[in-house]
Amino acid sequence: MARPKFKKRSHRQTARFTRTAFRLRDNGALYLAGIGEIKIAWSRTLPAVPSSVTLIKAATGKYFVSFVVEEPGEPMPPRDADEDTGIDVGLACFAVMRNGRRIETPKFLRKQEKRIAKAQRALSRKQKGSNNWHRQRVRVARLHERVGNQRRDFLHKHSTVIVRENQAVYVEDLDVQSIQERFGRLANDQALSAFLRMLEAKCARYGRDFVKVDRYFPSTQLCSSCLEPTGPEGVAGLNVRKWTCSNPRCGATHDRDENAEANLRAFGREVLAAGRKGPTDAGPGGELKRLRSADESGISRHGAASRSPRGERTEPVTTAAVR
Ligand SMILES: [Zn+2]
């Protein structure tokens, strides 16, 4: 008989069950075709009848089931148009918002990620496939799972507050690669890009405006008072936390991150205003346009308009651990 084939070279395995291949029992159990009835530890109640179920065996050996459920969009009560914020994400501070509000980078992330790196090194020293190697592999997977959960909780908590309190959110268009280019290799790069994705999804869901500003927009270099590019630049400027504008007619003193947030907010507002005027005039004008980089296509606007006409969306909701 042939040896079993793995779908991929990973210890995470999944199996998907469509509508006819599963049943939810009244006693809370889940019936899966070919497997039978399994008991579930529910993490939340299902908002609607699921269209499919995925059984997941995590690398830690734990089983989870994930349900795909159609959920209607659920706009929050609208805020005033001027209740908005830029979000400057970074290394020294996780995020800086309007009025200097800050989210500090959580220490547990760095601590856990150091432990993961250490466990990973120990794994690489063990003979692949040996008992010790397997034991260490599970240890590494458990650490990953734990830090992943902590990270998710932290990001959900903060992104929900931001979306609840603001009608519009302006962020830089950063992916993992550009974060690494800008800040060098850093521990919380995954958390930063996951945070921006989460904000975008929640803005779409709750009817908020979300503006992604071109990553080459010089939010750090521009003086938010006079719009001259007198701020810290390049690698040499990475450690400059406070600076004074050298424009003789200005001379404003800035906190680096608060200044960047103010620029994102001003620019994001122009993008929104231009978008409201009509699609043919989608780009913002004025001073800020002059200072933008050559890449004019890097601005995307999301929000109420990006939802499907019926306001529905499909989201996989990981709902339960299998007991
Ligand atoms: Zn200035």
Side-chain angles (χ1 to χ4, degrees):
M1 199 173 134
R3 298 176 65 178
K5 275 189 196 131
F6 287 97
K7 280 203 291 192
K8 47 190 170 177
R9 282 174 53 115
S10 154
H11 293 273
R12 189 176 191 271
Q13 296 289 312
T14 60
R16 193 176 164 89
F17 299 82
T18 51
R19 194 68 204 89
T20 53
F22 72 92
R23 287 276 178 287
L24 289 161
R25 302 289 193 216
D26 289 339
N27 62 4
L30 171 71
Y31 170 82
L32 294 176
I35 292 178
E37 218 164 82
I38 51 178
K39 279 187 183 169
I40 302 286
W42 295 90
S43 62
R44 53 174 278 199
T45 51
L46 287 171
V49 179
S51 56
S52 74
V53 177
T54 305
L55 179 65
I56 301 158
K57 186 190 182 201
T60 48
K62 291 182 196 167
Y63 286 89
F64 295 91
V65 281
S66 169
F67 295 89
V68 175
V69 182
E70 289 272 312
E71 258 188 300
E74 38 200 311
M76 289 183 177
R79 319 274 322 187
D80 291 340
D82 64 351
E83 292 181 289
D84 59 356
T85 186
I87 300 177
D88 180 66
V89 296
L91 182 56
C93 183
F94 187 79
V96 174
M97 285 159 295
R98 194 171 168 179
N99 300 327
R101 278 178 63 178
R102 281 157 196 273
I103 303 171
E104 299 300 332
T105 302
K107 289 211 173 63
F108 66 78
L109 275 183
R110 287 188 187 176
K111 219 184 272 173
Q112 284 284 38
E113 273 158 6
K114 263 183 208 155
R115 288 181 65 189
I116 287 178
K118 199 175 155 196
Q120 198 82 53
R121 282 196 300 274
L123 178 65
S124 67
R125 285 193 300 268
K126 304 212 184 303
Q127 166 132 37
K128 199 167 179 185
S130 69
N131 283 342
N132 273 335
W133 179 83
H134 276 296
R135 214 172 295 132
Q136 186 65 21
R137 182 183 63 73
V138 171
R139 211 171 282 150
V140 171
R142 273 204 201 109
L143 285 172
H144 271 296
E145 191 174 275
R146 194 182 311 154
V147 73
N149 288 340
Q150 285 175 319
R151 188 192 296 132
R152 210 162 21 248
D153 284 350
F154 165 80
L155 299 176
H156 269 303
K157 199 180 95 194
H158 288 288
S159 57
T160 295
V161 171
I162 290 168
V163 170
R164 191 188 298 137
E165 293 180 351
N166 291 283
Q167 184 54 41
V169 173
Y170 319 112
V171 305
E172 276 171 288
D173 183 12
L174 292 177
D175 54 20
V176 171
Q177 199 193 337
S178 53
I179 289 169
Q180 294 198 347
E181 276 166 17
R182 180 171 315 182
F183 304 118
R185 235 200 90 69
L186 75 147
N188 59 349
D189 54 354
Q190 274 180 307
L192 286 175
S193 42
F195 185 58
L196 299 182
R197 279 198 308 274
M198 215 178 254
L199 279 171
E200 183 169 1
K202 286 183 184 181
C203 283
R205 179 170 182 178
Y206 297 117
R208 304 304 201 215
D209 289 312
F210 181 85
V211 177
K212 245 187 222 172
V213 173
D214 186 326
R215 77 177 67 143
Y216 299 108
F217 172 64
S219 60
T220 305
Q221 285 86 43
L222 284 188
C223 167
S224 58
S225 305
C226 70
L227 301 183
E228 289 298 322
T230 55
E233 250 182 295
V235 179
L238 267 181
N239 294 319
V240 178
R241 308 307 316 164
K242 282 199 178 349
W243 54 280
T244 301
C245 178
S246 57
N247 178 355
R249 293 184 314 279
C250 178
T253 299
H254 296 293
D255 171 274
R256 175 204 185 91
D257 302 328
E258 290 174 23
N259 176 66
E261 186 279 328
N263 284 327
L264 283 174
R265 179 153 38 92
F267 190 68
R269 281 176 177 178
E270 289 203 30
V271 173
L272 271 192
R276 287 202 183 98
K277 267 187 254 158
T280 49
D281 188 25
E287 272 306 278
L288 289 159
K289 187 169 188 177
R290 182 173 64 78
L291 292 158
R292 281 175 61 203
S293 78
D295 181 3
E296 297 281 316
S297 63
I299 293 170
S300 55
R301 193 197 153 194
H302 301 264
S306 68
R307 281 178 295 172
S308 73
R310 284 168 304 151
E312 281 179 351
R313 80 213 161 85
T314 305
E315 181 201 43
V317 187
T318 299
T319 305
V322 175
R323 274 200 291 234

